[in-house]
Amino acid sequence: MRRTTCVIIGGGPAGMVLGLLLARRGIRVTVLEKHRDFLRDFRGDTVHPSTLRLLDDLGLFERFDALPQSRVTQFRLPTADGRDVVLADLSRLRTPHPYIAMVPQWDLLDLLAEAAMAEPTFTLRREHEVTGVLRGGGRVRGVTFRAPEGDGEIEADLTVACDGRWSTVRRALDLPSRAYPVPFDVWWFRITTDQHLAEALLPRVRRGRIGIAIPRRGYVQVAWIGRKGTDAAVRADGIDAFRAEVAELLPDLARDAASVASMDDVKHLDVRLDRLRRWHAHGVVCIGDAAHAMSPAGGVGINLAIQDAVATARLLAEPLRAGTLAGPRSGRILARIQRRRTFPTVVIQMLQRAVHARVIAPVLAGRTTAVLPRGADIVLRILPVLTVIPAFVIGIGPRAERAPRWARGSPGPPTDRSRRTAPMSEDVG
């Protein structure tokens, strides 16, 4: 048995941001990450203007800005006449960094982990897969885990689930949720190319299929949108048929489509959209996708999860320091997080459901090849200032969160990563 003040499940963006913030308040915090490292092919590599501002607040932006990256300043949509129009222009935002940075997520996570491990109260345990929750005294008092050294337990005043839509903690608690139907799935893959693409996202459409090419350094990350439940059929057609579809939909990348070597390089995402009715129980709270699985529409899921983490740190830092989350009032204190973050979650999910019904579903059903409704393109061309509204929703989001004052400032010098990654024989924190 080991003990800490706060145990965080999942070393993704929300978990690492929350761990860093709490550690900067002097709280003993342990992050459990089931993988050996962050070197995995993530589907979402977007860092939004609100997160860039957070990195500024934390004194980490210069180190982030030095990472290899590309930048997206516009979202464009095709119209009925075959042209395209700017839907969202992030350069119009009044924010220090009015763009979306496309950075491999493992680079961002390494940066956050390095900054957190400079704090003496922070511990990161890799290859620790959470298998369940510890219960006692009418509350959750920690988690059980599986690690290379064997099974174990960690006891904590607070457990925070940041382990995504398939959250182990969420399933163990059987918290009530509401799910919404989604008519599509997404297939992700890379196309290696030396072509320079514009700093804009422009969906390509033909009846029954949507493709979005995201510019990166040395390759393009493609989101391939099709009808839900068709993954088996897509794979049965084989790689040659798939490459032919890619070349037809993305003609600029046709000569590079062969870089998709096999269907093993095409990753299927079963898109879900849901929201817990209650995000917490005594001693435990879910945030990010563990509390509300988001659609990839708009690419705002990471942004929303990080803002959940910032709000959680601000609301819970003092109760954790005072030890009140170990007592009978923990439920009321944890409910503040859901009250604070429900509004932006509901707004974004409502907008995503509208996009599903009015934009994506008609294209996949073969009823149209125009993503933007008739008339909207004329309005946006006449009044381009309106492009700041969707830019704000995508880049900043409703009810944006700022880092607490006690977490701001320049971090100390980078530390030896191995020194702050605790082996099983050490006490947590």
Side-chain angles (χ1 to χ4, degrees):
M1 177 70 72
R2 298 288 185 264
R3 177 166 184 82
T4 188
T5 302
C6 177
V7 60
I8 297 171
I9 316 308
M16 295 307 302
V17 166
L18 177 59
L20 170 59
L21 294 177
L22 292 179
R24 285 196 175 181
R25 193 55 173 156
I27 295 165
R28 290 190 309 151
V29 56
T30 299
V31 176
L32 301 182
E33 167 56 43
K34 68 179 181 180
H35 296 99
R36 181 191 298 265
D37 52 41
F38 299 127
L39 291 173
R40 301 183 301 284
D41 192 15
F42 294 92
R43 300 183 182 96
D45 291 336
T46 56
V47 183
H48 292 239
S50 62
T51 302
L52 297 173
R53 184 173 60 179
L54 172 67
L55 294 171
D56 251 340
D57 289 343
L58 299 178
L60 299 174
F61 181 77
E62 287 188 7
R63 285 155 59 182
F64 174 85
D65 198 40
L67 296 173
Q69 59 188 268
S70 57
R71 297 178 177 181
V72 170
T73 56
Q74 293 183 340
F75 284 70
R76 293 175 171 267
L77 291 179
T79 61
D81 59 7
R83 296 185 294 173
D84 60 86
V85 66
V86 176
L87 172 68
D89 188 350
L90 282 83
S91 66
R92 293 179 175 271
L93 294 175
R94 295 183 177 180
T95 186
H97 310 289
Y99 57 87
I100 290 177
M102 309 300 299
V103 175
Q105 195 173 117
W106 55 77
D107 285 341
L108 172 64
L109 294 177
D110 278 337
L111 173 63
L112 294 172
E114 187 174 70
M117 288 187 286
E119 306 298 328
T121 59
F122 179 89
T123 301
L124 172 63
R125 288 190 168 186
R126 305 174 193 266
E127 293 187 275
H128 280 59
E129 182 178 2
V130 170
T131 55
V133 298
L134 293 173
R135 302 175 190 265
R139 66 187 302 274
V140 171
R141 57 184 183 86
V143 297
T144 60
F145 62 82
R146 182 184 302 114
E149 297 85 355
D151 295 348
E153 300 176 347
I154 292 182
E155 193 173 88
D157 294 346
L158 174 66
T159 299
V160 183
C162 302
D163 49 344
R165 64 187 63 199
W166 307 114
S167 168
T168 300
V169 175
R170 171 174 169 167
R171 293 199 305 271
L173 296 173
D174 197 24
L175 294 173
S177 66
R178 180 176 182 179
Y180 301 94
V182 178
F184 67 95
D185 282 342
V186 178
W187 291 260
W188 289 93
F189 56 95
R190 293 184 178 193
I191 296 178
T192 303
T193 181
D194 57 4
Q195 296 188 60
H196 176 73
L197 300 183
E199 293 184 347
L201 295 184
L202 174 61
R204 299 296 182 181
V205 178
R206 69 176 178 84
R207 295 189 186 275
R209 188 73 72 185
I210 301 173
I212 303 174
I214 304 171
R216 306 297 296 272
R217 288 197 174 187
Y219 68 94
V220 172
Q221 190 175 37
V222 179
W224 192 259
I225 301 172
R227 293 189 301 277
K228 181 171 283 296
T230 60
D231 182 59
V234 169
R235 296 184 184 280
D237 288 342
I239 188 61
D240 290 335
F242 188 81
R243 289 176 186 151
E245 283 201 62
V246 171
E248 181 182 352
L249 190 59
L250 304 172
D252 294 345
L253 299 171
R255 66 180 178 86
D256 299 314
S259 65
V260 185
S262 73
M263 292 305 296
D264 291 338
D265 294 335
V266 182
K267 309 302 182 183
H268 171 239
L269 173 64
D270 179 11
V271 179
R272 295 167 59 91
L273 187 67
D274 64 28
R275 184 171 69 246
L276 291 181
R277 297 182 184 274
R278 181 164 51 87
W279 297 16
H280 64 90
H282 285 295
V284 61
V285 64
C286 300
I287 64 173
D289 270 7
H292 44 74
M294 307 300 291
S295 160
V300 296
I302 294 174
N303 195 40
L304 198 65
I306 289 176
Q307 296 199 30
D308 282 359
V310 175
T312 300
R314 188 178 64 251
L315 292 170
L316 298 188
E318 296 315 311
L320 282 168
R321 282 164 57 89
T324 53
L325 284 177
R329 294 183 58 241
S330 75
R332 283 188 293 170
I333 297 171
L334 296 177
R336 298 172 186 169
I337 299 170
Q338 183 172 352
R339 286 197 299 269
R340 173 73 183 177
R341 297 303 301 163
T342 291
F343 170 73
T345 301
V346 170
V347 169
I348 294 298
Q349 287 189 336
M350 287 178 61
L351 292 173
Q352 289 185 330
R353 291 167 60 198
V355 170
H356 294 176
R358 299 181 182 182
V359 177
I360 297 177
V363 171
L364 298 185
R367 296 195 298 269
T368 181
T369 57
V371 172
L372 200 65
R374 287 185 178 275
D377 56 331
I378 299 175
V379 173
L380 290 173
R381 287 191 177 101
I382 295 175
L383 297 172
V385 70
L386 294 178
T387 60
V388 75
I389 299 173
F392 179 85
V393 173
I394 293 170
I396 306 296
R399 188 166 286 169
E401 307 286 352
R402 294 294 300 273
R405 291 189 180 278
W406 42 258
R408 300 185 186 186
S410 299
T415 59
D416 176 12
R417 185 167 303 174
S418 62
R419 185 173 66 83
R420 291 299 308 140
T421 304
M424 275 298 298
S425 59
E426 293 185 8
D427 288 337
V428 175

